[in-house]
Amino acid sequence: MNTLLQGIKKKNLLQVENLHVAFSIHKQKLEAVRGISFTIAAGETVGLVGESGCGKTAAVQAITRLTPAEWVEGKALFDGTDLLQATPEELRKIRGREIGMVFQDPMSSLNPTMTIGKQIAEGLIYHKLASKKEALQEAIELLRLVGVPHPEIRIHQYPHELSGGMRQRVLIAIALACKPRLLIADEPTTALDVTISVQILELLKALQKKLQMSLLLITHDLHVVAAICDRVLVMYAGQIVEEGPVKEVLRQPKHPYTKMLLQALPRLDRPTVLT
Ligand SMILES: Nc1ncnc2c1ncn2[C@@H]1O[C@H](COP(=O)(O)OP(=O)(O)O)[C@@H](O)[C@H]1O
Ligand SMILES: [Mg+2]
């Protein structure tokens, strides 16, 4: 099948239209996201890249309705349901079940007083996908899946007994427990050192393929996008200034900001030409 046909056949799982997000700061309206639109197809890995403060987190927090922002406008259609209009009940069914989320800081996302086995099992029990006993068994399998050794012992441990990298693997296990169709990972490895970060990103990509889910990966690192994403959205000052297949954007960046990001990357595909 040629790529054009494949493109037509692929269904949009998430379709964001004209999303605006604004915060109220000292009675002033600060627009963090200024009308962004993008889609994510089923099974696609999309990178959302941009410098710190450009609105990446504000955008995904608004989409998942976990935002502290005072103003959110636009549409975020997930398989036809507008998340921005969804009732609390609809949201509870979708969040954790259909959309999994992994955030930057594993320590603040985990409950320090609960064993990691129970935390992984929680979603399965909540969404009635498993009994308590089955869910704990599944937690062991999930820990194995994310590369945690001796999972049958680890499920009885508490977050503070694990290293940062292990905790991030646990968070991924929690996000994947219900086999979501979309995983949103917001700078999932920023708090980790480089070697562990590479391992976790490779793991995310492998799991995305294995579970055939869509992945929205937020990062400020174009290396990461180049390594694992199909398509990239480049955000700058609250707007998407450029988007396209990773290879095209990296080969022929149009926006000055993308060009600037790229200058920091070593070119492997052709000799560097100074113009
Ligand atoms: N809770 C908040 N209250 C007020 N302003 C916020 C809040 N969260 C983010 N912002 C502002 O929104 C803008 C975008 O932030 P953010 O989405 O966190 O950026 P990124 O994730 O791209 O680094 C920044 O100017 C930031 O200061
Ligand atoms: Mg952020």
Side-chain angles (χ1 to χ4, degrees), residues 23 25 30 32 51-58 68:
F23 296 96
I25 298 170
L30 177 121
E51 65 187 0
S52 179
C54 73
K56 306 180 296 295
T57 298

Side-chain angles (χ1 to χ4, degrees), residues 150-171:
H150 310 298
E152 59 291 329
I153 299 170
R154 296 281 182 190
I155 55 161
H156 301 296
Q157 291 190 301
Y158 290 87
H160 73 268
E161 297 175 271
L162 306 178
S163 68
M166 283 292 169
R167 285 199 285 264
Q168 197 54 288
R169 285 174 196 265
V170 169
L171 274 194

Side-chain angles (χ1 to χ4, degrees), residues 118-180:
K118 279 194 180 150
Q119 293 187 61
I120 299 170
E122 223 179 10
L124 288 162
I125 297 165
Y126 178 83
H127 291 289
K128 299 192 172 64
L129 297 173
S131 67
K132 239 177 171 173
K133 206 173 150 209
E134 288 165 348
L136 270 181
Q137 194 55 42
E138 181 65 16
I140 295 175
E141 291 313 314
L142 282 157
L143 279 180
R144 212 187 303 280
L145 183 73
V146 298
V148 171
H150 310 298
E152 59 291 329
I153 299 170
R154 296 281 182 190
I155 55 161
H156 301 296
Q157 291 190 301
Y158 290 87
H160 73 268
E161 297 175 271
L162 306 178
S163 68
M166 283 292 169
R167 285 199 285 264
Q168 197 54 288
R169 285 174 196 265
V170 169
L171 274 194
I172 294 170
I174 293 173
L176 295 181
C178 299
K179 307 284 185 295

Side-chain angles (χ1 to χ4, degrees), residues 21-25 30-33 50-61 67-70 104 186-187 218 220 235 238:
V21 182
F23 296 96
S24 170
I25 298 170
L30 177 121
E31 258 207 297
V33 178
E51 65 187 0
S52 179
C54 73
K56 306 180 296 295
T57 298
V60 292
Q61 283 182 343
T67 182
E70 280 80 6
Q104 187 174 331
D186 187 357
E187 311 234 23
I218 298 174
H220 55 262
M235 214 168 150

Side-chain angles (χ1 to χ4, degrees), residues 8-236:
I8 291 167
K9 275 199 83 167
K10 268 190 192 161
K11 200 169 152 257
N12 282 335
L13 186 59
L14 180 70
Q15 183 169 351
V16 174
E17 289 174 22
N18 202 18
L19 179 71
H20 287 260
V21 182
F23 296 96
S24 170
I25 298 170
H26 300 298
K27 297 188 180 153
Q28 296 259 36
K29 189 170 174 179
L30 177 121
E31 258 207 297
V33 178
R34 301 188 291 146
I36 64 169
S37 302
F38 64 91
T39 59
I40 300 178
E44 191 179 32
T45 298
V46 175
L48 177 57
V49 64
E51 65 187 0
S52 179
C54 73
K56 306 180 296 295
T57 298
V60 292
Q61 283 182 343
I63 292 166
T64 51
R65 297 278 296 274
L66 295 169
T67 182
E70 280 80 6
W71 290 276
V72 176
E73 278 165 32
K75 278 187 186 164
L77 300 168
F78 179 79
D79 200 19
T81 302
D82 188 354
L83 298 173
L84 304 187
Q85 302 295 331
T87 62
E89 174 145 8
E90 282 174 313
L91 283 175
R92 274 196 296 272
K93 278 187 191 149
I94 292 173
R95 252 193 332 237
R97 170 84 179 86
E98 310 262 1
I99 303 178
M101 288 160 290
V102 182
F103 298 113
Q104 187 174 331
D105 179 6
M107 206 50 201
S108 64
S109 313
L110 289 168
N111 181 341
T113 65
M114 204 192 235
T115 63
I116 60 166
K118 279 194 180 150
Q119 293 187 61
I120 299 170
E122 223 179 10
L124 288 162
I125 297 165
Y126 178 83
H127 291 289
K128 299 192 172 64
L129 297 173
S131 67
K132 239 177 171 173
K133 206 173 150 209
E134 288 165 348
L136 270 181
Q137 194 55 42
E138 181 65 16
I140 295 175
E141 291 313 314
L142 282 157
L143 279 180
R144 212 187 303 280
L145 183 73
V146 298
V148 171
H150 310 298
E152 59 291 329
I153 299 170
R154 296 281 182 190
I155 55 161
H156 301 296
Q157 291 190 301
Y158 290 87
H160 73 268
E161 297 175 271
L162 306 178
S163 68
M166 283 292 169
R167 285 199 285 264
Q168 197 54 288
R169 285 174 196 265
V170 169
L171 274 194
I172 294 170
I174 293 173
L176 295 181
C178 299
K179 307 284 185 295
R181 287 192 283 167
L182 170 65
L183 181 68
I184 299 177
D186 187 357
E187 311 234 23
T189 62
T190 306
L192 305 172
D193 69 50
V194 177
T195 339
I196 308 289
S197 167
V198 170
Q199 287 172 10
I200 299 274
L201 290 164
E202 281 172 354
L203 170 72
L204 272 180
K205 183 64 186 169
L207 291 171
Q208 178 271 326
K209 276 195 187 144
K210 186 172 176 162
L211 304 174
Q212 299 193 332
M213 58 183 179
S214 305
L215 173 61
L216 175 60
L217 179 69
I218 298 174
T219 171
H220 55 262
D221 187 345
L222 219 46
H223 276 110
V224 170
V225 170
I228 73 171
C229 297
D230 304 317
R231 210 149 51 77
V232 59
L233 314 167
V234 182
M235 214 168 150
Y236 183 74

